[in-house]
Structure formats: C-alpha cells, structure tokens
Amino acid sequence: MGRRGERGRGVTVRKRSTWVAWSMLAVFVVGWTVMSVLLVANGNLQDPADGLAFLLAFGAFMVVGALIVAHRPGNAIGWIFSAIGLLAATGGLAQEYAQYAYVTRPGSLPGAVLAAWYASWWWYPAITLALVFTLLLFPSGRPLSARWRPVAVVAAIATAALVALTALQPTLTLREADYAVDNPIGLAGIQHPEQGTVGAVLFLLLTACMLAAVLSMVLRFRRSQGVERQQLKWFTYAGALLILWALVSGFLFPNASLDVVFALFLAFVPIAAGIAILRYRLYDIDHLISRTLSYTLLTAAFTAVYLVIVVGIGTLVGSRGNPNLVLSIVATAVIAVAFQPARDRSRRLANRLVYGRRATPYEVLSAFSRGVAGAATDDSLLRMARLVVEATGAVQATVWLRLGDVLQPQTSWPQAGPLPEPIALEGRGVQEALAATQAASVSFPVEHEEELLGALTVTASPAEPLTPGGERLIADLAAQTGLGLRFQRMKERALFARALASFLPPEVAELVEASPAALSLREELEATILFSDIRGFSGLAERLPPRQVAEVVGRHLGAMVQVVTSHGGVLDKFAGDAVMAVFGAPRPAADHAKRALSCAAAMQRRQLALNDEAQRDRLPAFQIGIGVNTGTVIAGTLGGAGRLDYTVLGDAVNIAQRLQSEASGGEILAAAVTVRLAGTDQAEPVGLKHLKGRQHLVEVYRLRWAETSTAQHPGETAYAE
C-alpha cells in the first residue's frame, strides 16, 4: 500500500510539474509576442534579426527548461532554465511597456512605473541563475558536495543585495529611450550598484561565486564517470563553442552585428544541457567533438595555406598588399588538390585527440560490417574479438555462443592458451552465469529481439579501464554479431523444420523452427483428447474394392483433418480409419475443452455433408462415433533412433479412446470433466459407464449436435459393429 501511495504521489507531482512547466512556457510566448508588438510600436525593431536573436536565445532556455521539468521534475536545472527564460521575456516586456507608456504614447498604459521598476533589475537574477547556479548544479540538480552550498548562498545574497540597491534607487532609467522615471519607493542617497563602492564589492563577490562554480564543474568533470561524464561533455562543448565564437567574432568582426549567430551558439547551451539531462543520443558527443575538431583543423590549415601563398609570396614578389589574381588561383588550386588528403589527416588527428590511440567506434563498426556481410562465421567472431581488443585496449576478448542452456566459448583474442570451460545458464542471466568464472571480465550479451544467442566477455587492463564509449562500441558490435547469428540460425532452423514438417504436426514443426530444443521437450499439461472412428468399416471394406475403400476413407480423413485444424486442434495420428486429435498441446489453450466439443459437433456435421456427396456419386455412406475426454497428459516427442513421433500419453487418452468405442454411429460421448470445463448446455447426462479395462466408473454425457438424429439420415449406411 505504501509503495502504491508513493507511486501515486509521484505521478501527481509529475502531472503538476508538467502543468506548471507548460504554463510558464505559455507566459513566455505571450510575453514575447506582446513585447514584439511594443518593439515595433516603439521603433526599436529596426532590424528583425534582433527579435529573432532574443527568441532563439531565451526561447531555447524556456523550451528546454519546460521539457526537463516535465520529464525530470526533481532536477533543479529545468526550473532554472525556465526561470531564465521567464525573466528574459517579462523583463523585455516590462522595458518596452514602460517606454511605450512614458515616451511613445505618454500616459496611455497603466502601471508604467511598476514596469520601469521591474525592468531595472530583472537581469541580475537571470545572470546569477545562468552563470552560478547552472554551473554549480549541472547535471544532477545538486551541488558537487555540501561544501559547495555556501557558494550558492553567497551568490543568492549578493544578487538579492544588487536587486535591492537597484530597486531602491531614487531614479529609474529606461535604457533604450534614455528616459528617467522617479521611483516611488526610492530612497535618497542610494547609489546604483555600477557606481558605488558597495555595488563594486557585491559584483566582486558575484564574480568570485561564478569562478567557484566554474571550478566546481571542472572538479565534477575530473571525478565523473559513465553517463555523468558524457553529460558534462555535452555542456562544456556547447559552452566552449559559445566562448570561442565570442572571441573569434570580436577579433575578426569587431564592428559587425552578429546577434543572430551569437544567439544560435547561446541557444545551443540549453539544448546541449537538455540532451545531457534527458539522455537523448547522449553518447554521440564524442563523435560531435571529433567532427568539430576535424573541421576546425581543416579550416585552420587551409587558411594558413592561403595566407602563406597570397600574402607571404605576394609580399616577396612585391605586390605591396594589392590582390594578386595569379596567386589567388594558385592558392585555390593547391587547396583543391590537397583537400581530400588534408581532410583524412585532420580526421585522424581529431580522432587521436578524442579517442587516443584507438580508432573511432564508427571506423571499427564499419570494418566489422564489411567483414561480417550478413552472417556470422568463426572467422567473423575471431575478427570481432580482435577488433574489441585493438579498439579499446582490452587485455583479452572471448566470444561465447549459446547452445541449448549452455554458453560455449568459440574463440578469443589474443589466441593464447586454452578456451574457458563451457558454462551452464541454469536459469541465470548472462552476467550472473559468467560472473562465477569470469569475475575479472565485463560481459555483454549477444541478442537479437530479446533472444539470447551468446555473449562477449572483455578483460580490461587496470591501467586502461573501459570507457563509456568503449562499452558502447562493444555493445554495438555484440548487437551486429547477434544480427548475423540470428540470420544464420534462421537458415539452419528453416532447413531443419522443413525436413521434419513431413513427420510432425505443423504446430510442432513451428516450435522446432523457433528452437530445435523443442524436439526433446516433454511437458505435463492439461489437454482434451478426441477420438473418432468409422462405424461398420469392416463390412464396408468387404463390399468395396480396395481402391474404392481407399478413396472413401481418404475423402473422410481429409475432411476431418480440415475440421480439426480449423478448431485449433492438432492431428496426433491416424490409426486406419480412426482419427486422434489433441486440443491444448503443444501450445496451451485455456478453452481447449470447448474447442474439442465444437470440433466433434463440426465433424459429425461434416460427415453428413460427405454422405450427401457420396449418395450423388453412388458411394456408400457411413457414420462415425466420437469420444472426448480431458485430463493431464505428457506431451512430447517419443521414439528411438531413426523414428520420432509427437504424441500425448496418459490415462486421459485411454478414456477418450474407450468413450469412442462406446459411441454409436452419429453419437458424441464426452466425459463429465470435459462438459464442465467447456460450459456447454448442449450435453445430456448418460450416467455412469463401466469402460473396458477400467475399474472405476466414468460419468458420461452425450453431446446434442443436430436437431435430427444421424441414425435417421437417408442413404446407404454402415452401422455400428
């Protein structure tokens, strides 16, 4: 009850958090829309790119924050991002609102002084949330340890003090309009934080908190492992791109307006944080960093080549800074010729910087894919083990295949010493089974669509443990091997099942195709057994030529098989003119008794139709007797070398056969247990019967299957012997 209550409270909290998150997003959209209208009215939107930059930058914070709050309500980063976006939208709206009310159309809007007051200080908490609390709490939403909490406290106090100093200054200034407004709650003598000594001290404290937050993230990154390390890589990658662009644009384009481009880089910071926290394509960061480094190195190399040829050689030949068309053409030709080799070298160098001496996971997977080519062989398994060792720096890799309930080692790399002993699964998982004898190795299951096909064990060096990227690579290799193994086994099973399909019921053949182990399966289950037999067959055989007897019986047996199959039964065997069918095996069915009785009635009706056809063809008609019983049986393949047969055994089978012997032509006799399980109202009690070979009496019912008795059916009829 307690767990159910906690789960219910968790669902309630998540729903409430989701509602709050999307409500804040709606406020942001409304605020930004109204602000855009006021921007146009105030004449502050001469360049639409400015509004787009604002939307890109802070809209990303708002949307990502809402997503994190909705999916991870316990993570403070989502609330921080939402607060940053909300502060930016409401702050910008307040600024434009105040300007419209005081400058554009004086006195046209109420509450203008409140808007001017809010516009004067909203950006302090926004900056603190972005540059202190985000760095301090990312990615878990908690500080690195309790010792870092004072940083958050000091930053909050300093921010609150800066807000107070700004909010209590006597005059409020509308920055865009250069317009001063008297502050109704202002205090004489309060200086703006940017002018007074107190403000300088507070800014110094806030800067120290920012540096401490950066240090906290550096330490967190150094101590991180696994998922957290990948999360921090995403965030630091986005932050590094933003800082790099700010430096490059300031150096190369000091007078240009690049707000939209800068906003794109700024928007990538919350997007990267969202990817990290929500763990969407988390492990792609190494590939992304590698590609970025590769293109950066390539661009730097070509820029250097161009400068050396055009500027350097141009200076030597005396172009005096004037453009030289010939040198420009030569530089372009050199770059074109060197592009492909330079790209390959830059990619290898970038991979070396990101992955060390190992190849990239994508190169390893590509090499293995070319080798495996759709099916797994001993050579491909050995190649996979070798690739794992070479790509991850592991000491040894061993490939195991599942044979029945045993994991059998197939190959290993390096090929030194004997392979390990086979390991029985015995109902255990792969990791649990391998942990007993392979404790020093990390195990990876080889599966396809949740079917266990084998395993891969990797022994890493203590000096070079497996990284998250290495583990992901091995898991991908295992998945690709599983696909090849599955393809190979499907071919083998299809050939095997096709060979057995002529000797086994179709349902059993399907089980064998799915798993050859089904051949040795013998299980105890509840099933319903049906026997039918032609009445008067001996007399029929005496009167007709053998060929005609075979034709009549063959037509009857073919029709009965169709009826059995259509009712979900399995044809167990023919015994001359008799039919034995099973319901509830090999695939268990809850309604096996009901299916069997329905099948028996359908068999009698089908025999009536066959008799009508026989009368038209001048052939003899006959009747059948049917017996049905339900009970516990042993179902499976029986036999010896060279001969296997699927059947069911048990006392329930014997009772069904005896009931069939007691049934007259056109009659269906069923045991009471079958009638009760089927829940039919078409059965009438016959009473207790003494069946041949049994000491105890059996309660028997007769199934009503037609309005008229079959004994009165017209035509030449062979009656019970």
Side-chain angles (χ1 to χ4, degrees), residues 474-506:
I474 298 171
D476 289 343
L477 285 171
Q480 202 158 15
T481 302
L483 182 62
L485 283 173
R486 177 61 175 166
F487 179 74
Q488 188 70 17
R489 289 195 178 184
M490 284 176 63
K491 291 196 300 183
E492 294 173 356
R493 289 174 181 174
L495 292 173
F496 190 48
R498 192 179 304 165
L500 291 173
S502 300
F503 304 97
L504 297 176

PDB file of all heavy atoms in Angstrom, residues 474-506:
ATOM      1  N   ILE A 474      31.441  -1.906 -27.813  1.00  0.00           N
ATOM      2  CA  ILE A 474      31.339  -3.362 -27.667  1.00  0.00           C
ATOM      3  C   ILE A 474      29.880  -3.793 -27.754  1.00  0.00           C
ATOM      4  O   ILE A 474      29.547  -4.812 -28.374  1.00  0.00           O
ATOM      5  CB  ILE A 474      31.969  -3.807 -26.336  1.00  0.00           C
ATOM      6  CG1 ILE A 474      33.460  -3.454 -26.330  1.00  0.00           C
ATOM      7  CG2 ILE A 474      31.790  -5.296 -26.127  1.00  0.00           C
ATOM      8  CD1 ILE A 474      34.126  -3.653 -24.983  1.00  0.00           C
ATOM      9  N   ALA A 475      28.988  -3.021 -27.127  1.00  0.00           N
ATOM     10  CA  ALA A 475      27.561  -3.347 -27.192  1.00  0.00           C
ATOM     11  C   ALA A 475      27.056  -3.296 -28.633  1.00  0.00           C
ATOM     12  O   ALA A 475      26.260  -4.144 -29.061  1.00  0.00           O
ATOM     13  CB  ALA A 475      26.764  -2.395 -26.308  1.00  0.00           C
ATOM     14  N   ASP A 476      27.529  -2.318 -29.427  1.00  0.00           N
ATOM     15  CA  ASP A 476      27.123  -2.224 -30.828  1.00  0.00           C
ATOM     16  C   ASP A 476      27.663  -3.405 -31.638  1.00  0.00           C
ATOM     17  O   ASP A 476      26.971  -3.959 -32.499  1.00  0.00           O
ATOM     18  CB  ASP A 476      27.608  -0.909 -31.442  1.00  0.00           C
ATOM     19  CG  ASP A 476      26.840   0.289 -30.911  1.00  0.00           C
ATOM     20  OD1 ASP A 476      25.751   0.082 -30.341  1.00  0.00           O
ATOM     21  OD2 ASP A 476      27.328   1.425 -31.038  1.00  0.00           O
ATOM     22  N   LEU A 477      28.914  -3.788 -31.362  1.00  0.00           N
ATOM     23  CA  LEU A 477      29.484  -4.945 -32.039  1.00  0.00           C
ATOM     24  C   LEU A 477      28.700  -6.211 -31.693  1.00  0.00           C
ATOM     25  O   LEU A 477      28.435  -7.058 -32.553  1.00  0.00           O
ATOM     26  CB  LEU A 477      30.952  -5.121 -31.645  1.00  0.00           C
ATOM     27  CG  LEU A 477      31.956  -4.153 -32.274  1.00  0.00           C
ATOM     28  CD1 LEU A 477      33.320  -4.324 -31.622  1.00  0.00           C
ATOM     29  CD2 LEU A 477      32.064  -4.383 -33.768  1.00  0.00           C
ATOM     30  N   ALA A 478      28.334  -6.345 -30.412  1.00  0.00           N
ATOM     31  CA  ALA A 478      27.560  -7.511 -29.983  1.00  0.00           C
ATOM     32  C   ALA A 478      26.205  -7.547 -30.677  1.00  0.00           C
ATOM     33  O   ALA A 478      25.731  -8.601 -31.109  1.00  0.00           O
ATOM     34  CB  ALA A 478      27.386  -7.501 -28.464  1.00  0.00           C
ATOM     35  N   ALA A 479      25.567  -6.379 -30.814  1.00  0.00           N
ATOM     36  CA  ALA A 479      24.268  -6.318 -31.485  1.00  0.00           C
ATOM     37  C   ALA A 479      24.394  -6.702 -32.953  1.00  0.00           C
ATOM     38  O   ALA A 479      23.546  -7.422 -33.496  1.00  0.00           O
ATOM     39  CB  ALA A 479      23.680  -4.912 -31.350  1.00  0.00           C
ATOM     40  N   GLN A 480      25.474  -6.240 -33.593  1.00  0.00           N
ATOM     41  CA  GLN A 480      25.652  -6.563 -35.006  1.00  0.00           C
ATOM     42  C   GLN A 480      25.961  -8.050 -35.188  1.00  0.00           C
ATOM     43  O   GLN A 480      25.478  -8.689 -36.126  1.00  0.00           O
ATOM     44  CB  GLN A 480      26.791  -5.718 -35.589  1.00  0.00           C
ATOM     45  CG  GLN A 480      26.722  -5.559 -37.084  1.00  0.00           C
ATOM     46  CD  GLN A 480      27.493  -4.349 -37.554  1.00  0.00           C
ATOM     47  OE1 GLN A 480      28.296  -3.798 -36.821  1.00  0.00           O
ATOM     48  NE2 GLN A 480      27.263  -3.935 -38.775  1.00  0.00           N
ATOM     49  N   THR A 481      26.736  -8.607 -34.264  1.00  0.00           N
ATOM     50  CA  THR A 481      27.003 -10.045 -34.316  1.00  0.00           C
ATOM     51  C   THR A 481      25.724 -10.833 -34.086  1.00  0.00           C
ATOM     52  O   THR A 481      25.487 -11.868 -34.720  1.00  0.00           O
ATOM     53  CB  THR A 481      28.049 -10.422 -33.255  1.00  0.00           C
ATOM     54  OG1 THR A 481      29.235  -9.664 -33.477  1.00  0.00           O
ATOM     55  CG2 THR A 481      28.386 -11.898 -33.325  1.00  0.00           C
ATOM     56  N   GLY A 482      24.885 -10.351 -33.159  1.00  0.00           N
ATOM     57  CA  GLY A 482      23.609 -11.015 -32.908  1.00  0.00           C
ATOM     58  C   GLY A 482      22.753 -11.068 -34.146  1.00  0.00           C
ATOM     59  O   GLY A 482      22.085 -12.081 -34.421  1.00  0.00           O
ATOM     60  N   LEU A 483      22.781 -10.001 -34.952  1.00  0.00           N
ATOM     61  CA  LEU A 483      22.011  -9.987 -36.194  1.00  0.00           C
ATOM     62  C   LEU A 483      22.517 -11.056 -37.157  1.00  0.00           C
ATOM     63  O   LEU A 483      21.741 -11.791 -37.772  1.00  0.00           O
ATOM     64  CB  LEU A 483      22.093  -8.600 -36.837  1.00  0.00           C
ATOM     65  CG  LEU A 483      21.291  -8.398 -38.122  1.00  0.00           C
ATOM     66  CD1 LEU A 483      19.817  -8.585 -37.864  1.00  0.00           C
ATOM     67  CD2 LEU A 483      21.565  -7.011 -38.694  1.00  0.00           C
ATOM     68  N   GLY A 484      23.856 -11.159 -37.278  1.00  0.00           N
ATOM     69  CA  GLY A 484      24.418 -12.175 -38.156  1.00  0.00           C
ATOM     70  C   GLY A 484      24.132 -13.582 -37.668  1.00  0.00           C
ATOM     71  O   GLY A 484      23.786 -14.471 -38.450  1.00  0.00           O
ATOM     72  N   LEU A 485      24.276 -13.809 -36.350  1.00  0.00           N
ATOM     73  CA  LEU A 485      23.986 -15.127 -35.792  1.00  0.00           C
ATOM     74  C   LEU A 485      22.525 -15.501 -35.982  1.00  0.00           C
ATOM     75  O   LEU A 485      22.191 -16.646 -36.293  1.00  0.00           O
ATOM     76  CB  LEU A 485      24.332 -15.143 -34.298  1.00  0.00           C
ATOM     77  CG  LEU A 485      25.810 -15.246 -33.934  1.00  0.00           C
ATOM     78  CD1 LEU A 485      25.986 -15.064 -32.436  1.00  0.00           C
ATOM     79  CD2 LEU A 485      26.382 -16.578 -34.368  1.00  0.00           C
ATOM     80  N   ARG A 486      21.655 -14.531 -35.783  1.00  0.00           N
ATOM     81  CA  ARG A 486      20.232 -14.789 -35.935  1.00  0.00           C
ATOM     82  C   ARG A 486      19.907 -15.195 -37.375  1.00  0.00           C
ATOM     83  O   ARG A 486      19.130 -16.128 -37.625  1.00  0.00           O
ATOM     84  CB  ARG A 486      19.446 -13.533 -35.541  1.00  0.00           C
ATOM     85  CG  ARG A 486      17.950 -13.649 -35.735  1.00  0.00           C
ATOM     86  CD  ARG A 486      17.359 -14.748 -34.891  1.00  0.00           C
ATOM     87  NE  ARG A 486      15.913 -14.774 -35.000  1.00  0.00           N
ATOM     88  CZ  ARG A 486      15.150 -15.768 -34.588  1.00  0.00           C
ATOM     89  NH1 ARG A 486      15.696 -16.818 -34.025  1.00  0.00           N
ATOM     90  NH2 ARG A 486      13.841 -15.708 -34.713  1.00  0.00           N
ATOM     91  N   PHE A 487      20.514 -14.496 -38.320  1.00  0.00           N
ATOM     92  CA  PHE A 487      20.290 -14.810 -39.726  1.00  0.00           C
ATOM     93  C   PHE A 487      20.756 -16.234 -40.044  1.00  0.00           C
ATOM     94  O   PHE A 487      20.062 -17.001 -40.716  1.00  0.00           O
ATOM     95  CB  PHE A 487      21.035 -13.797 -40.598  1.00  0.00           C
ATOM     96  CG  PHE A 487      20.902 -14.044 -42.073  1.00  0.00           C
ATOM     97  CD1 PHE A 487      19.719 -13.752 -42.729  1.00  0.00           C
ATOM     98  CD2 PHE A 487      21.956 -14.577 -42.796  1.00  0.00           C
ATOM     99  CE1 PHE A 487      19.587 -13.979 -44.092  1.00  0.00           C
ATOM    100  CE2 PHE A 487      21.829 -14.807 -44.154  1.00  0.00           C
ATOM    101  CZ  PHE A 487      20.647 -14.508 -44.805  1.00  0.00           C
ATOM    102  N   GLN A 488      21.938 -16.591 -39.524  1.00  0.00           N
ATOM    103  CA  GLN A 488      22.473 -17.920 -39.772  1.00  0.00           C
ATOM    104  C   GLN A 488      21.598 -18.999 -39.150  1.00  0.00           C
ATOM    105  O   GLN A 488      21.302 -20.028 -39.764  1.00  0.00           O
ATOM    106  CB  GLN A 488      23.901 -18.004 -39.215  1.00  0.00           C
ATOM    107  CG  GLN A 488      24.651 -19.273 -39.578  1.00  0.00           C
ATOM    108  CD  GLN A 488      25.005 -19.320 -41.055  1.00  0.00           C
ATOM    109  OE1 GLN A 488      24.983 -18.304 -41.736  1.00  0.00           O
ATOM    110  NE2 GLN A 488      25.307 -20.515 -41.552  1.00  0.00           N
ATOM    111  N   ARG A 489      21.156 -18.767 -37.919  1.00  0.00           N
ATOM    112  CA  ARG A 489      20.341 -19.763 -37.237  1.00  0.00           C
ATOM    113  C   ARG A 489      18.965 -19.897 -37.876  1.00  0.00           C
ATOM    114  O   ARG A 489      18.390 -20.979 -37.896  1.00  0.00           O
ATOM    115  CB  ARG A 489      20.199 -19.390 -35.762  1.00  0.00           C
ATOM    116  CG  ARG A 489      21.490 -19.579 -34.977  1.00  0.00           C
ATOM    117  CD  ARG A 489      21.255 -19.560 -33.495  1.00  0.00           C
ATOM    118  NE  ARG A 489      22.492 -19.786 -32.769  1.00  0.00           N
ATOM    119  CZ  ARG A 489      22.567 -19.904 -31.447  1.00  0.00           C
ATOM    120  NH1 ARG A 489      21.465 -19.823 -30.722  1.00  0.00           N
ATOM    121  NH2 ARG A 489      23.719 -20.115 -30.855  1.00  0.00           N
ATOM    122  N   MET A 490      18.440 -18.784 -38.380  1.00  0.00           N
ATOM    123  CA  MET A 490      17.147 -18.861 -39.057  1.00  0.00           C
ATOM    124  C   MET A 490      17.240 -19.777 -40.281  1.00  0.00           C
ATOM    125  O   MET A 490      16.332 -20.567 -40.545  1.00  0.00           O
ATOM    126  CB  MET A 490      16.682 -17.466 -39.470  1.00  0.00           C
ATOM    127  CG  MET A 490      16.138 -16.620 -38.321  1.00  0.00           C
ATOM    128  SD  MET A 490      15.703 -14.960 -38.847  1.00  0.00           S
ATOM    129  CE  MET A 490      14.398 -15.312 -40.012  1.00  0.00           C
ATOM    130  N   LYS A 491      18.340 -19.683 -41.029  1.00  0.00           N
ATOM    131  CA  LYS A 491      18.504 -20.555 -42.185  1.00  0.00           C
ATOM    132  C   LYS A 491      18.600 -22.017 -41.756  1.00  0.00           C
ATOM    133  O   LYS A 491      17.977 -22.899 -42.353  1.00  0.00           O
ATOM    134  CB  LYS A 491      19.765 -20.153 -42.963  1.00  0.00           C
ATOM    135  CG  LYS A 491      19.665 -18.809 -43.660  1.00  0.00           C
ATOM    136  CD  LYS A 491      20.739 -18.643 -44.704  1.00  0.00           C
ATOM    137  CE  LYS A 491      22.115 -18.740 -44.106  1.00  0.00           C
ATOM    138  NZ  LYS A 491      23.184 -18.513 -45.108  1.00  0.00           N
ATOM    139  N   GLU A 492      19.389 -22.262 -40.695  1.00  0.00           N
ATOM    140  CA  GLU A 492      19.549 -23.635 -40.227  1.00  0.00           C
ATOM    141  C   GLU A 492      18.228 -24.201 -39.715  1.00  0.00           C
ATOM    142  O   GLU A 492      17.864 -25.342 -40.005  1.00  0.00           O
ATOM    143  CB  GLU A 492      20.609 -23.680 -39.128  1.00  0.00           C
ATOM    144  CG  GLU A 492      22.006 -23.321 -39.623  1.00  0.00           C
ATOM    145  CD  GLU A 492      22.996 -23.204 -38.484  1.00  0.00           C
ATOM    146  OE1 GLU A 492      22.554 -23.331 -37.312  1.00  0.00           O
ATOM    147  OE2 GLU A 492      24.192 -22.997 -38.749  1.00  0.00           O
ATOM    148  N   ARG A 493      17.510 -23.389 -38.936  1.00  0.00           N
ATOM    149  CA  ARG A 493      16.246 -23.870 -38.378  1.00  0.00           C
ATOM    150  C   ARG A 493      15.202 -24.100 -39.461  1.00  0.00           C
ATOM    151  O   ARG A 493      14.399 -25.032 -39.387  1.00  0.00           O
ATOM    152  CB  ARG A 493      15.721 -22.866 -37.348  1.00  0.00           C
ATOM    153  CG  ARG A 493      16.534 -22.843 -36.061  1.00  0.00           C
ATOM    154  CD  ARG A 493      16.061 -21.737 -35.153  1.00  0.00           C
ATOM    155  NE  ARG A 493      16.839 -21.688 -33.925  1.00  0.00           N
ATOM    156  CZ  ARG A 493      16.719 -20.750 -32.998  1.00  0.00           C
ATOM    157  NH1 ARG A 493      15.838 -19.779 -33.171  1.00  0.00           N
ATOM    158  NH2 ARG A 493      17.465 -20.774 -31.910  1.00  0.00           N
ATOM    159  N   ALA A 494      15.186 -23.240 -40.472  1.00  0.00           N
ATOM    160  CA  ALA A 494      14.213 -23.405 -41.547  1.00  0.00           C
ATOM    161  C   ALA A 494      14.451 -24.719 -42.291  1.00  0.00           C
ATOM    162  O   ALA A 494      13.508 -25.454 -42.607  1.00  0.00           O
ATOM    163  CB  ALA A 494      14.292 -22.225 -42.511  1.00  0.00           C
ATOM    164  N   LEU A 495      15.728 -25.025 -42.574  1.00  0.00           N
ATOM    165  CA  LEU A 495      16.043 -26.283 -43.237  1.00  0.00           C
ATOM    166  C   LEU A 495      15.683 -27.471 -42.355  1.00  0.00           C
ATOM    167  O   LEU A 495      15.140 -28.479 -42.813  1.00  0.00           O
ATOM    168  CB  LEU A 495      17.537 -26.312 -43.593  1.00  0.00           C
ATOM    169  CG  LEU A 495      17.994 -25.321 -44.669  1.00  0.00           C
ATOM    170  CD1 LEU A 495      19.510 -25.339 -44.787  1.00  0.00           C
ATOM    171  CD2 LEU A 495      17.354 -25.650 -46.006  1.00  0.00           C
ATOM    172  N   PHE A 496      15.981 -27.362 -41.056  1.00  0.00           N
ATOM    173  CA  PHE A 496      15.704 -28.434 -40.109  1.00  0.00           C
ATOM    174  C   PHE A 496      14.203 -28.673 -39.987  1.00  0.00           C
ATOM    175  O   PHE A 496      13.718 -29.807 -40.031  1.00  0.00           O
ATOM    176  CB  PHE A 496      16.311 -28.047 -38.758  1.00  0.00           C
ATOM    177  CG  PHE A 496      16.309 -29.161 -37.748  1.00  0.00           C
ATOM    178  CD1 PHE A 496      16.751 -30.423 -38.080  1.00  0.00           C
ATOM    179  CD2 PHE A 496      15.860 -28.929 -36.465  1.00  0.00           C
ATOM    180  CE1 PHE A 496      16.764 -31.440 -37.156  1.00  0.00           C
ATOM    181  CE2 PHE A 496      15.859 -29.940 -35.532  1.00  0.00           C
ATOM    182  CZ  PHE A 496      16.320 -31.208 -35.877  1.00  0.00           C
ATOM    183  N   ALA A 497      13.444 -27.564 -39.822  1.00  0.00           N
ATOM    184  CA  ALA A 497      11.999 -27.693 -39.656  1.00  0.00           C
ATOM    185  C   ALA A 497      11.342 -28.198 -40.931  1.00  0.00           C
ATOM    186  O   ALA A 497      10.367 -28.948 -40.885  1.00  0.00           O
ATOM    187  CB  ALA A 497      11.405 -26.347 -39.256  1.00  0.00           C
ATOM    188  N   ARG A 498      11.886 -27.802 -42.091  1.00  0.00           N
ATOM    189  CA  ARG A 498      11.316 -28.268 -43.351  1.00  0.00           C
ATOM    190  C   ARG A 498      11.462 -29.781 -43.487  1.00  0.00           C
ATOM    191  O   ARG A 498      10.584 -30.472 -44.001  1.00  0.00           O
ATOM    192  CB  ARG A 498      12.020 -27.563 -44.513  1.00  0.00           C
ATOM    193  CG  ARG A 498      11.331 -27.734 -45.856  1.00  0.00           C
ATOM    194  CD  ARG A 498      12.083 -26.991 -46.934  1.00  0.00           C
ATOM    195  NE  ARG A 498      12.223 -25.588 -46.600  1.00  0.00           N
ATOM    196  CZ  ARG A 498      13.076 -24.770 -47.221  1.00  0.00           C
ATOM    197  NH1 ARG A 498      13.850 -25.231 -48.182  1.00  0.00           N
ATOM    198  NH2 ARG A 498      13.151 -23.505 -46.864  1.00  0.00           N
ATOM    199  N   ALA A 499      12.594 -30.305 -42.996  1.00  0.00           N
ATOM    200  CA  ALA A 499      12.804 -31.747 -43.062  1.00  0.00           C
ATOM    201  C   ALA A 499      11.863 -32.488 -42.122  1.00  0.00           C
ATOM    202  O   ALA A 499      11.445 -33.608 -42.391  1.00  0.00           O
ATOM    203  CB  ALA A 499      14.255 -32.070 -42.712  1.00  0.00           C
ATOM    204  N   LEU A 500      11.511 -31.853 -40.986  1.00  0.00           N
ATOM    205  CA  LEU A 500      10.661 -32.517 -40.009  1.00  0.00           C
ATOM    206  C   LEU A 500       9.175 -32.307 -40.267  1.00  0.00           C
ATOM    207  O   LEU A 500       8.344 -32.982 -39.662  1.00  0.00           O
ATOM    208  CB  LEU A 500      10.988 -32.001 -38.601  1.00  0.00           C
ATOM    209  CG  LEU A 500      12.355 -32.415 -38.038  1.00  0.00           C
ATOM    210  CD1 LEU A 500      12.602 -31.694 -36.731  1.00  0.00           C
ATOM    211  CD2 LEU A 500      12.431 -33.913 -37.847  1.00  0.00           C
ATOM    212  N   ALA A 501       8.858 -31.328 -41.132  1.00  0.00           N
ATOM    213  CA  ALA A 501       7.449 -30.985 -41.317  1.00  0.00           C
ATOM    214  C   ALA A 501       6.631 -32.147 -41.862  1.00  0.00           C
ATOM    215  O   ALA A 501       5.420 -32.214 -41.650  1.00  0.00           O
ATOM    216  CB  ALA A 501       7.328 -29.781 -42.262  1.00  0.00           C
ATOM    217  N   SER A 502       7.290 -33.061 -42.569  1.00  0.00           N
ATOM    218  CA  SER A 502       6.558 -34.195 -43.123  1.00  0.00           C
ATOM    219  C   SER A 502       6.240 -35.244 -42.070  1.00  0.00           C
ATOM    220  O   SER A 502       5.413 -36.128 -42.306  1.00  0.00           O
ATOM    221  CB  SER A 502       7.371 -34.840 -44.256  1.00  0.00           C
ATOM    222  OG  SER A 502       7.607 -33.908 -45.275  1.00  0.00           O
ATOM    223  N   PHE A 503       6.915 -35.189 -40.916  1.00  0.00           N
ATOM    224  CA  PHE A 503       6.744 -36.217 -39.896  1.00  0.00           C
ATOM    225  C   PHE A 503       6.077 -35.700 -38.627  1.00  0.00           C
ATOM    226  O   PHE A 503       5.635 -36.490 -37.802  1.00  0.00           O
ATOM    227  CB  PHE A 503       8.116 -36.801 -39.524  1.00  0.00           C
ATOM    228  CG  PHE A 503       8.861 -37.329 -40.707  1.00  0.00           C
ATOM    229  CD1 PHE A 503       9.825 -36.557 -41.342  1.00  0.00           C
ATOM    230  CD2 PHE A 503       8.595 -38.582 -41.218  1.00  0.00           C
ATOM    231  CE1 PHE A 503      10.517 -37.035 -42.437  1.00  0.00           C
ATOM    232  CE2 PHE A 503       9.283 -39.073 -42.317  1.00  0.00           C
ATOM    233  CZ  PHE A 503      10.248 -38.303 -42.930  1.00  0.00           C
ATOM    234  N   LEU A 504       6.024 -34.399 -38.451  1.00  0.00           N
ATOM    235  CA  LEU A 504       5.466 -33.812 -37.238  1.00  0.00           C
ATOM    236  C   LEU A 504       4.271 -32.939 -37.583  1.00  0.00           C
ATOM    237  O   LEU A 504       4.183 -32.409 -38.697  1.00  0.00           O
ATOM    238  CB  LEU A 504       6.518 -32.966 -36.510  1.00  0.00           C
ATOM    239  CG  LEU A 504       7.753 -33.688 -35.986  1.00  0.00           C
ATOM    240  CD1 LEU A 504       8.728 -32.681 -35.397  1.00  0.00           C
ATOM    241  CD2 LEU A 504       7.382 -34.737 -34.951  1.00  0.00           C
ATOM    242  N   PRO A 505       3.357 -32.732 -36.641  1.00  0.00           N
ATOM    243  CA  PRO A 505       2.257 -31.779 -36.868  1.00  0.00           C
ATOM    244  C   PRO A 505       2.798 -30.386 -37.152  1.00  0.00           C
ATOM    245  O   PRO A 505       3.877 -30.020 -36.657  1.00  0.00           O
ATOM    246  CB  PRO A 505       1.486 -31.824 -35.537  1.00  0.00           C
ATOM    247  CG  PRO A 505       1.853 -33.126 -34.924  1.00  0.00           C
ATOM    248  CD  PRO A 505       3.251 -33.416 -35.345  1.00  0.00           C
ATOM    249  N   PRO A 506       2.094 -29.574 -37.958  1.00  0.00           N
ATOM    250  CA  PRO A 506       2.598 -28.229 -38.297  1.00  0.00           C
ATOM    251  C   PRO A 506       2.924 -27.392 -37.074  1.00  0.00           C
ATOM    252  O   PRO A 506       3.910 -26.652 -37.066  1.00  0.00           O
ATOM    253  CB  PRO A 506       1.441 -27.622 -39.107  1.00  0.00           C
ATOM    254  CG  PRO A 506       0.688 -28.799 -39.644  1.00  0.00           C
ATOM    255  CD  PRO A 506       0.809 -29.874 -38.623  1.00  0.00           C
TER     256      PRO A 506
END
